[in-house]
Amino acid sequence: MQLRGVILGMMLFVFIVACNNDDGPDVESVPPRQLSEVVVEDAAEIQAYLESHFYNYEDFASPPVDFDYKVVLDTIAGANADKIALINQVESVTIQVTSEDFNLDDNESVEHTLYYLVAREGAGASPTAADSTFVKYEGSLLNGNLFDATSTYTWQYLPFFLRGYSQAISNFKVGDNIVVNPDGTTAITNSGIGVMFLPSGLAYFNGNQNGIPSYSPLIFKIDVGLYVEDTDYDGDGIPSFMEDLDGDGDVTNDNTDEKEEEAIRSPAFPNHIDPDDDEDGILTKDEIIVDSEGNITFPDEDNDGVPDYLDNDN
């Protein structure tokens, strides 16, 4: 009986405590940081890394026997004190990033700079940031912690990946041939190999990703094998790169029929993945003209300056 009394007393105590905490735990909500604040920190971190690290450029210049053509990054120190710093070998691209890109409401538009290094120039052409590309990659933080990697080539439709990643890859060239090895495996000859350095505003910014803390600059080592020229992801007759209507290099924010989609409670489909770009019930491919050489004409039946495939009141 005494044991029963103790148990009942404990249950009553728990009940009283629970009743006194109806509002649940006191969790502090931390608002996202501003792009303009984070970009300064990212730039300083990336610059410091580029000034204090080098890559195995000597191996690429005079490849040893059985060289695997992989980029190796290391610190300039000790026996490597005389190496050329990455900062003297990289190229850069500046991209405008807006608060809206991360669903922030502070109306900022901030320039972000990514850096890339071509360790081996590919023998083929360069994909656009809106093409489907056959690549191998390895992603890490600036401290070297690996968060993702592929052991073989994989197809990537670049608009589905990080904006900085797709923009950087468009500065590399692909390989020129597919060969079959004696063991039955295949390889791509003369592929483009290098590395890119992305500020968080061209990566995940405040997003939570496995192994990637918020506001983390990222490094990607890449091997660009092949690509589908003029990729037309939605099959509407217009290559995806041509569906970048505002010319900002990002096809994911061009959605002609957004209001119409909202009106019918449809998911938002940017033009590059939307076979009916104006939501008028007529497929885009039926509102354009493609000749035998692939040249595209955009009719404007009512002569209002808006081509039919983007004009739902035509």
Side-chain angles (χ1 to χ4, degrees), residues 238 242 284 287-291 294-300 307 309:
I238 303 175
M242 292 181 64
T284 293
E287 295 187 285
I288 64 174
I289 299 172
V290 184
D291 67 20
N295 300 309
I296 306 174
T297 302
F298 301 97
D300 177 11
Y309 85 101

Side-chain angles (χ1 to χ4, degrees), residues 1 5 25 34 43 46 56 80 84 87 98 113 126 150 183 206 216 219 228 247 249 258 260 266 310:
M1 292 295 290
Q34 289 187 306
I46 293 174
N56 52 331
N80 296 320
I84 300 173
I87 192 66
T98 66
T113 299
S126 296
T150 59
D183 61 0
N206 64 319
S216 293
I219 299 174
V228 177
E258 184 174 6
E260 288 75 19
S266 166
L310 298 177

